[in-house]
């Protein structure tokens, strides 16, 4: 069964500092990987996704993530944090097997705080 | 172009009651998935509807049921409500065609259900 582990339920950084949110997955088949962001009282917004091809994926708002198969990781980074990045971030995996038709399995989320 | 819309935004029910939540997918989308997000947790997949049929189901009891209409909108019904059903219920829409290329699921803002 697929699963997603997000290390650190809460990460705090200073404005301008590097953001690193960790995600590890387990999957018996090559997965599709996603990062979503959730602002308070809102739904989920897609930041970026990995399907095939280039392992470094660039997303919106300056975020990027690198798929590392050998480490089963898909960590999210941003070189310089902005106050508006404060939100909860979810890593998700989707089975590429035909039976799942793209169900998303989410991690428990990491809440990012940005200090001025 | 309207995104995914859900109604109502908030709902308060008592134990044992029944509730119906509604979702209109993003224009052009034909697949609707429902997720439950308990406080402090990541979303969990409930079920997915395509062509008015339940195509896949997560690990939720039969008290959770759904429906998809010819216009692709969907309802989530929960019977015999329990305190543990209190959560944010998210609807996501996507296109069935293209799932094998990591088709994106677009999320609504959710319905927050409180069971007293």
């Amino acid at each position: 069964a697929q699963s997603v582990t997000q290390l650190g339920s809460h990460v705090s950084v200073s404005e301008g500092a590097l953001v690193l949110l960790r995600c590890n997955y387990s999957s018996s088949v090559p997965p599709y990987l996603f990062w979503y962001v959730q602002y308070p009282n809102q739904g989920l917004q897609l930041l970026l996704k990995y399907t095939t091809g280039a392992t470094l994926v660039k997303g919106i708002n300056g975020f990027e993530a690198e798929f590392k198969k050998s480490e089963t990781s898909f960590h999210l980074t941003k070189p310089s944090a902005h106050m508006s990045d404060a939100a909860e971030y979810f890593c998700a995996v989707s089975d590429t097997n035909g039976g799942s038709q793209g169900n998303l399995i989410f991690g428990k989320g990491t809440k990012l705080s940005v200090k001025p | 172009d309207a995104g995914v819309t859900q109604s109502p935004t908030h709902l308060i029910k008592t134990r044992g009651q029944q509730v119906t939540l509604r979702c209109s997918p993003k224009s052009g989308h034909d697949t609707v998935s429902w997720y439950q997000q308990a406080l402090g947790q990541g979303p969990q997949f409930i079920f997915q509807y395509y062509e008015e049929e339940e195509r896949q189901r997560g690990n939720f009891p039969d008290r959770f049921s759904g429906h998809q209409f010819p216009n692709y909108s969907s309802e989530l019904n929960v019977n015999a409500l329990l305190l543990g059903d209190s959560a944010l219920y998210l609807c996501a829409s996507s296109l069935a065609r293209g799932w094998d290329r990591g088709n994106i699921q677009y999320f609504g803002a959710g319905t927050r259900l409180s069971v007293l």
Side-chain angles (χ1 to χ4, degrees), chain A residues 1-3 18 30 37 44-46 48-49 53 62 73 93 107 109-110 116:
Chain A
Q2 292 178 310
S3 66
L18 171 72
V37 62
L44 302 176
Q45 180 184 6
L46 181 71
L48 49 80
K49 70 174 184 178
S73 69
V93 62
T110 297

Side-chain angles (χ1 to χ4, degrees), chain B residues 50-69:
Chain B
Y50 172 65
E51 291 188 336
E52 302 181 49
E53 290 189 0
E54 182 183 292
R55 185 161 66 175
Q56 296 181 74
R57 188 178 185 92
N59 189 25
F60 279 80
D62 292 344
R63 297 186 297 109
F64 289 76
S65 63
H67 188 76
Q68 186 179 35
F69 299 94

